[in-house]
Amino acid sequence: MDRLSSFFRTRYVLVTCIVILSVFLRFWAADNLRTDFDEPVYLGNAFDYAAMIRTGDWDSVIDYREVIEHPPLVKLLYSLPILTMGEQADWSSALFISRMVSVVFGALAVLLLALIDPLAGGLLAVQTLVVKYTSQAYLEALPLFAMILSVYALLRSKRALDGWFWLSAAALGLTAAGKYSYAPILFVILYLYFSEKKYRWRELVVYLLVIGITFWVLNPTLYRDPLNRLYESLFFHPGYAQSQHVQTSGYNWYQPLLWVSRSWVYEWHPGEIFYYGFDGLIFIFGIIGLRFEWFQRRWVVVWIVTSMA
């Protein structure tokens, strides 16, 4: 009993240190990184939403067609602090507060992953791409948190239809409502559902229904003409991938592997990020770890492969 108690105390201290480190790195990045490419776009959307909400123009909120390739949830979230600042809200204050929203959800994502596996949480805390995109006014932090929450809750679930089961489904709906590109976590969920938990098909129908309802409620754009708008939003990306802008970029199909294979953020932001990072080592350890995880936690391999694909 003493050994078990000591183990949990050590794990608690370790997770706490990891979260503190994650908050520090993200706050530093939020305070020091220059305004990035899409931040003015998303913050401009937030100012538009704040103006609509302030006047009670909910039809305009539903029909807002800027940046249709992404759900509006995160931009609506960024509009809330702008609303609290009133009509005197200035750009720099709104940008900093929106970045703080990302910092909070980014740190919460690290916390959840550290609760699943402290080593994984520690690596997520310091990986420079993750630090960058969960400390700026981008769309990543909320869906990243919700995605990991969905997995964490299903792992904690003891039986179908318990509280963790419902939380996992709702978190997956929140994930898709945050950003579509995080939705492939559904493959991991399905693998865990049938291979690890061995739950039945009947409960899966309820699980999927909760996902759909949560996604729809948190995506006001779909309140009117949902099928056409969802189609337009989802199929924007294949079309954009064939656009002149993307074609002239000259990226290969394996470019995502290159992005995670070295600490690009340090090179993108010289003088703004104070540490080089360990992205290359994390990438190498991840490749080596695939073989071991295949025999111990195969769902981790499914997670890596489907997300990269």
Side-chain angles (χ1 to χ4, degrees):
M1 182 62 72
D2 289 340
R3 287 184 178 181
L4 185 62
S5 177
S6 175
F7 169 79
F8 281 111
R9 281 199 302 270
T10 303
R11 189 182 181 92
Y12 172 79
V13 171
L14 180 59
V15 170
T16 301
C17 291
I18 290 169
V19 173
I20 291 173
L21 175 62
S22 73
V23 172
F24 170 73
L25 292 178
R26 282 155 181 76
F27 181 83
W28 177 278
D31 194 42
N32 286 277
L33 292 181
R34 63 183 180 273
T35 302
D36 212 17
F37 295 105
D38 288 337
E39 285 188 292
V41 176
Y42 299 143
L43 204 59
N45 298 157
F47 270 95
D48 290 343
Y49 278 126
M52 298 171 199
I53 296 171
R54 189 177 293 115
T55 59
D57 188 0
W58 300 106
D59 285 336
S60 294
V61 171
I62 294 172
D63 294 327
Y64 189 67
R65 306 302 290 150
E66 296 294 326
V67 198
I68 61 169
E69 64 268 29
H70 300 302
L73 180 62
V74 178
K75 292 164 283 185
L76 283 168
L77 185 62
Y78 289 155
S79 75
L80 298 181
I82 297 173
L83 275 171
T84 62
M85 289 187 284
E87 296 182 359
Q88 292 74 34
D90 64 279
W91 187 270
S92 60
S93 298
L95 177 63
F96 183 75
I97 294 176
S98 297
R99 284 184 168 192
M100 288 301 102
V101 172
S102 287
V103 167
V104 169
F105 282 108
L108 288 174
V110 169
L111 169 61
L112 287 174
L113 192 60
L115 290 174
I116 297 173
D117 186 304
L119 176 59
L123 296 178
L124 189 70
V126 301
Q127 211 274 355
T128 60
L129 278 177
V130 181
V131 171
K132 170 182 169 63
Y133 287 106
T134 59
S135 58
Q136 293 182 305
Y138 274 104
L139 309 181
E140 314 303 321
L142 175 63
L144 176 67
F145 159 74
M147 176 182 70
I148 298 174
L149 176 60
S150 182
V151 174
Y152 176 76
L154 191 59
L155 287 171
R156 292 290 303 271
S157 175
K158 301 300 183 185
R159 65 184 186 280
L161 306 180
D162 65 4
W164 291 109
F165 179 94
W166 298 115
L167 178 60
S168 177
L172 190 50
L174 174 60
T175 301
K179 193 175 183 181
Y180 296 129
S181 56
Y182 288 80
I185 196 64
L186 178 62
F187 292 109
V188 183
I189 293 295
L190 292 175
Y191 185 89
L192 281 170
Y193 189 96
F194 290 112
S195 297
E196 302 288 334
K197 297 300 177 178
K198 303 187 186 305
Y199 293 158
R200 296 176 298 180
W201 280 95
R202 184 168 54 190
E203 284 83 7
L204 179 63
V205 175
V206 181
Y207 189 91
L208 295 175
L209 184 62
V210 173
I211 294 173
I213 292 173
T214 306
F215 171 69
W216 182 80
V217 168
L218 296 177
N219 195 341
T221 302
L222 303 182
Y223 292 178
R224 189 175 289 128
D225 196 18
L227 293 180
N228 285 329
R229 289 187 175 183
L230 183 61
Y231 177 88
E232 181 183 12
S233 184
L234 289 175
F235 282 87
F236 172 92
H237 301 280
Y240 181 72
Q242 303 303 318
S243 68
Q244 183 67 25
H245 173 71
V246 173
Q247 296 302 315
T248 55
S249 298
Y251 291 143
N252 296 303
W253 64 267
Y254 52 82
Q255 186 63 40
L257 292 173
L258 299 182
W259 291 138
V260 299
S261 65
R262 56 188 283 193
S263 300
W264 290 93
V265 175
Y266 185 83
E267 301 176 27
W268 294 340
H269 298 279
E272 300 172 50
I273 293 290
F274 70 89
Y275 74 107
Y276 183 76
F278 310 95
D279 299 15
L281 285 175
I282 294 171
F283 176 74
I284 293 171
F285 290 156
I287 296 297
I288 295 172
L290 287 174
R291 179 177 179 276
F292 298 97
E293 294 293 356
W294 182 256
F295 296 105
Q296 298 182 34
R297 294 183 297 187
R298 195 165 293 182
W299 57 272
V300 174
V301 180
V302 175
W303 193 343
I304 293 173
V305 171
T306 56
S307 295
M308 291 305 299

